[in-house]
Amino acid sequence: MAGTLLVAACGAGGSDGDGRPSAAEAVPDIECAASGKVRGSGSSAQQNAMKRWIQQYQRACAGVEVAYNPLGSGAGVAQFQRGATAFGGTDEALSRQDVEESKGVCDGGRAIDLPMTGGPIAIGHNVPGVSGLVLDAPTLARLFDARITRWNHPSIQRLNPGTALPDLPVVPVHRADDSGTTQNLTAYLKAAARKSWPYPAGKKWQARGGQSGTGSDGVAGTVAQTEGAIGYFELSFAVKRGIDTVRIATGASEPVAPSTESASAGIAEAEVAGEGGDLALNLDYRTSAEGAYPIVLVTYEIVCDTGNDPETLPALKSFLSYTAGEDGQRLLPSIHHAPLPDSVAAQVREVVSTLS
């Protein structure tokens, strides 16, 4: 099980792209709460971002303790609904049933979705001697459903003319736990490969065959260690382990590689679908815009609009105001996350200020 990201207040340390602040980096100018303990859990997609945010926040706000446990989106929602955490992290907006259930923990209110970070879901592979691999949605669908079983399959060769593909078994790797990353990948496959992906979009993996890993780090670790493997995880996990990633043929003039820039281009086409203080976004998984990576996710922090614990509320508002603020969003590209569009970040900050 992934451990809780509990970071003590610290002085300046080094920013090496893995969440440690730089010795020369200024302490963020944050409107701190005087004290408080804020607990969160959920999405492992934001694990690296949350680690960095906590470290930076507590450099400025020594009186507040923030902890985040990257158990996966499903567990994050469940713990929030039980009142075990002040906020949950999820890569899928709350369902109507989730909102109804939240009224039991949000005294006089309901849970709302606050987008906080985005990024590409990288398709990572371990095919010796092959880099710059190009795949499209129908081919990905058949690979993850164990209907393409060898890497020299004609469908893969067609997309990669001139590449020497090995006669090597394909080992698809998926999440073992309920996951917003799975939900976003399957939503992409359902939208962009409708005829090739017979399963509904959802947090629980339903395709056949393959291996599994817990959390994005578990999937990335399995791919890194297994020749012939292909899996899905946030870009930061691919970079950390040196895993080759797939370029996606979307119908644009060139296949699109996962990056913070290409993910931002995809997320920028989303529309706010929530009502009131809820800022859930509708993503366009079928985009063919130039330079727009189509397999993206947005991680939301779920909080009570009203009925938050008064002992943790000031610290919760202070921390989320920082993560949605300019300083918190500015550091995201250095750890392979995509910042929110400015207009969305401003809306998030406005809603955070109204929490009660």
Side-chain angles (χ1 to χ4, degrees):
M1 179 178 294
T4 303
L5 296 176
L6 176 59
V7 185
C10 57
S15 181
D16 57 2
D18 191 31
R20 290 188 291 269
S22 167
E25 193 172 358
V27 174
D29 182 14
I30 298 173
E31 187 173 340
C32 299
S35 62
K37 294 183 179 180
V38 178
R39 297 287 185 267
S41 70
S43 165
S44 65
Q46 69 170 354
Q47 175 178 341
N48 295 329
M50 192 59 68
K51 178 180 179 180
R52 186 82 162 100
W53 280 331
I54 291 172
Q55 288 175 324
Q56 289 293 82
Y57 178 80
Q58 292 189 165
R59 293 177 71 207
C61 304
V64 178
E65 184 182 279
V66 184
Y68 184 77
N69 201 345
L71 298 172
S73 295
V77 173
Q79 288 203 343
F80 177 81
Q81 301 283 39
R82 293 198 301 270
T85 56
F87 71 96
T90 176
D91 306 320
E92 179 187 18
L94 296 169
S95 67
R96 291 182 179 180
Q97 181 178 347
D98 290 332
V99 172
E100 284 302 312
E101 291 180 6
S102 75
K103 294 177 181 179
V105 71
C106 299
D107 187 16
R110 49 155 287 188
I112 55 174
D113 301 284
L114 300 178
M116 201 61 70
T117 181
I121 300 174
I123 306 299
H125 68 87
N126 184 349
V127 184
V130 176
S131 60
L133 187 69
V134 175
L135 296 173
D136 60 12
T139 305
L140 275 173
R142 290 186 291 154
L143 282 164
F144 279 117
D145 198 25
R147 285 181 285 131
I148 292 178
T149 59
R150 304 197 77 81
W151 279 106
N152 61 348
H153 190 280
S155 294
I156 304 175
Q157 192 68 72
R158 174 181 55 82
L159 291 162
N160 297 272
T163 300
L165 296 169
D167 184 12
L168 179 69
V170 175
V171 183
V173 185
H174 59 267
R175 286 282 288 268
D177 51 322
D178 287 1
S179 160
T181 312
T182 296
Q183 193 281 331
N184 281 273
L185 174 69
T186 55
Y188 162 74
L189 294 174
K190 189 68 177 175
R194 196 167 298 170
K195 295 180 180 179
S196 300
W197 188 254
Y199 311 102
K203 294 180 181 178
K204 188 176 184 64
W205 187 257
Q206 298 189 51
R208 58 190 178 182
Q211 298 185 19
S212 64
T214 300
S216 293
D217 201 35
V219 174
T222 301
V223 171
Q225 297 166 16
T226 308
E227 194 169 279
I230 183 170
Y232 58 95
F233 29 77
E234 294 67 42
L235 182 59
S236 57
F237 293 94
V239 173
K240 178 180 178 181
R241 293 182 178 270
I243 298 172
D244 284 328
T245 58
V246 170
R247 294 182 295 149
I248 305 297
T250 64
S253 62
E254 295 289 339
V256 185
S259 70
T260 56
E261 294 82 4
S262 63
S264 290
I267 294 170
E269 297 185 7
E271 297 181 352
V272 175
E275 299 178 351
D278 188 89
L279 298 176
L281 301 176
N282 270 343
L283 297 169
D284 181 8
Y285 296 106
R286 301 181 66 184
T287 181
S288 59
E290 295 294 330
Y293 188 77
I295 319 175
V296 296
L297 60 75
V298 171
T299 299
Y300 301 91
E301 314 311 338
I302 53 173
V303 296
C304 294
D305 59 356
T306 299
N308 290 281
D309 183 343
E311 292 187 4
T312 61
L313 180 60
L316 175 66
K317 293 174 69 172
S318 171
F319 179 63
L320 295 182
S321 293
Y322 160 67
T323 62
E326 290 184 6
D327 284 345
Q329 293 292 303
R330 187 184 299 119
L331 63 79
L332 290 174
S334 69
I335 50 174
H336 313 290
H337 286 260
L340 298 173
D342 290 343
S343 60
V344 175
Q347 291 180 72
V348 173
R349 294 193 295 272
E350 175 60 30
V351 173
V352 168
S353 71
T354 69
L355 301 180
S356 63

